[in-house]
Amino acid sequence: MGKLASFLMVSVDGYFEGSKPWALEWHNVDEEFNEFAIAQLEASDALIFGRVTYQGMAGYWPSREAVEGDPEVASRMNQAPKIVVSRSLDKPDPAWANARLLKANVMEELRRLKQTADRDLLVLGSSNLTASLMDAGVLDELRLIVNPVALGAGHPVLEGARNVPLKLLSARPFRSGNVLLTYAPRTGIEPKS
């Protein structure tokens, strides 16, 4: 059985995205981060995205810029099986291979997929989807890389999530100043309303 994990980049002041959509130039990415990203992708059976994140990534990872600029990560992203969670999308982008749409019974289907997975199911980006998965008790692990930058404004990470208690599993500093915080939702504790 696999676990359902979510990975998000976040600023020290709590934003996963700047004021403009896809304003991500603040992401602190280097060789050490890429090694982490590759290991995370290799440990996953499938990648899961909300619609907005999926459309942004589908527009980037198959591009010449991504393939030439970051060939190892691009290769893994492009080849990985992908699940897009969306009520409004009609079909996945045919330019980004191996994607399927999940429109209904999302939580039940993700629970079923966890039961049959050999490795992790990994939500990338998709802060709103992650908040929903946490609220539904479906998420097993939350991975946040805190970047050493204060944005001052933007889209708050996990906006709309109810008070879900988390247990710190590990903290890993990177040479760049990034810090990976890995949490699991606490079981047996009623969230405060």
Side-chain angles (χ1 to χ4, degrees), residues 32-101:
E32 185 181 21
F33 174 83
N34 272 1
E35 290 169 5
F36 162 78
I38 290 166
Q40 188 170 233
L41 292 169
E42 288 178 347
S44 302
D45 274 354
L47 305 178
I48 302 171
F49 303 95
R51 178 190 55 81
V52 173
T53 303
Y54 170 77
Q55 289 176 320
M57 292 209 183
Y60 177 72
W61 286 110
S63 74
R64 170 178 249 152
E65 177 187 356
V67 171
E68 291 177 358
D70 200 349
E72 287 187 65
V73 174
S75 173
R76 285 166 177 81
M77 291 290 290
N78 292 331
Q79 293 173 18
K82 295 169 257 309
I83 299 168
V84 187
V85 176
S86 174
R87 288 185 293 268
S88 61
L89 198 63
D90 292 325
K91 61 183 180 177
D93 186 335
W96 207 25
N98 302 321
R100 73 178 179 100
L101 190 57

Side-chain angles (χ1 to χ4, degrees), residues 92-111:
D93 186 335
W96 207 25
N98 302 321
R100 73 178 179 100
L101 190 57
L102 181 55
K103 288 182 88 110
N105 303 315
V106 171
M107 300 308 166
E108 294 81 12
E109 179 65 11
L110 291 176
R111 283 185 179 98

